[in-house]
Amino acid sequence: MVAIAVVIDTSGLDAACDALRRALPAHNVVAAVEIAAGVAATARVLCPSRTGELRESIQVGDASGDEDGAVCEVVATAPHARPVEEGAKPHIIRAHGKALRFEVGGDVIFRKSVMHPGMQGRFYMRRAAEVEQPEASRIVARELTEALHETGLG
């Protein structure tokens, strides 16, 4: 009878894993920034806009990361960004100066305060993240593949 032996040599595995750990932070940050840019672009399309202030306020923040992952925020800094995203209960809006100024039916009206009726959230950021999920998966896979190739593991 003939014996067949297979020898598995993992002697270089630790060094290869160390190389991958060193390569991953940069690739994680690249992926996070690219994904955030896609989410921001989609959010700008999905957000309601009367004046453009909300749309223009949607920006990609700074990114940071390590071998475990990366973080890059998409932020909307317009004062009404959060209530448009999440909704708002009815509330009073008071003038910070002499009066609030707005138009109704072409007439300019001044008031010291008005009752906002509230509104449902539009969830433009949440929807943007959902729309971008398939592309985010592709970006992460691409960056992992590049890191593997860069370290000789792929």
Side-chain angles (χ1 to χ4, degrees):
M1 180 182 277
V2 176
I4 298 176
V6 176
V7 176
I8 308 297
D9 181 2
T10 62
S11 58
L13 189 57
D14 284 344
C17 287
D18 287 342
L20 184 59
R21 271 189 218 96
R22 286 189 301 275
L24 278 176
H27 288 279
N28 286 341
V29 170
V30 167
V33 170
E34 194 172 333
I35 292 164
V39 170
T42 301
R44 286 185 204 105
V45 170
L46 295 177
C47 76
S49 180
R50 233 182 288 165
T51 65
E53 180 185 13
L54 177 56
R55 180 182 300 119
E56 291 168 12
S57 81
I58 299 172
Q59 303 295 324
V60 175
D62 293 333
S64 63
D66 57 25
E67 66 270 5
D68 293 326
V71 174
C72 187
E73 292 181 327
V74 177
V75 296
T77 58
H80 56 293
R82 183 178 215 138
V84 172
E85 172 72 12
E86 299 174 354
K89 294 179 179 178
H91 59 281
I92 296 173
I93 300 174
R94 290 184 173 77
H96 292 292
K98 289 184 179 183
L100 297 167
R101 179 193 183 278
F102 53 96
E103 292 183 28
V104 175
D107 295 330
V108 177
I109 298 175
F110 296 92
R111 296 283 186 271
K112 290 188 185 260
S113 66
V114 294
M115 183 65 181
H116 188 287
M119 59 187 238
Q120 291 186 336
R122 301 293 291 273
F123 305 108
Y124 58 95
M125 285 286 209
R126 181 185 306 171
R127 291 186 0 239
E130 290 168 354
V131 166
E132 290 296 317
Q133 181 59 50
E135 182 61 15
S137 296
R138 283 190 285 280
I139 291 167
V140 168
R142 182 197 70 214
E143 289 301 316
L144 179 56
T145 300
E146 286 184 18
L148 289 168
H149 286 296
E150 189 177 293
T151 58
L153 296 172

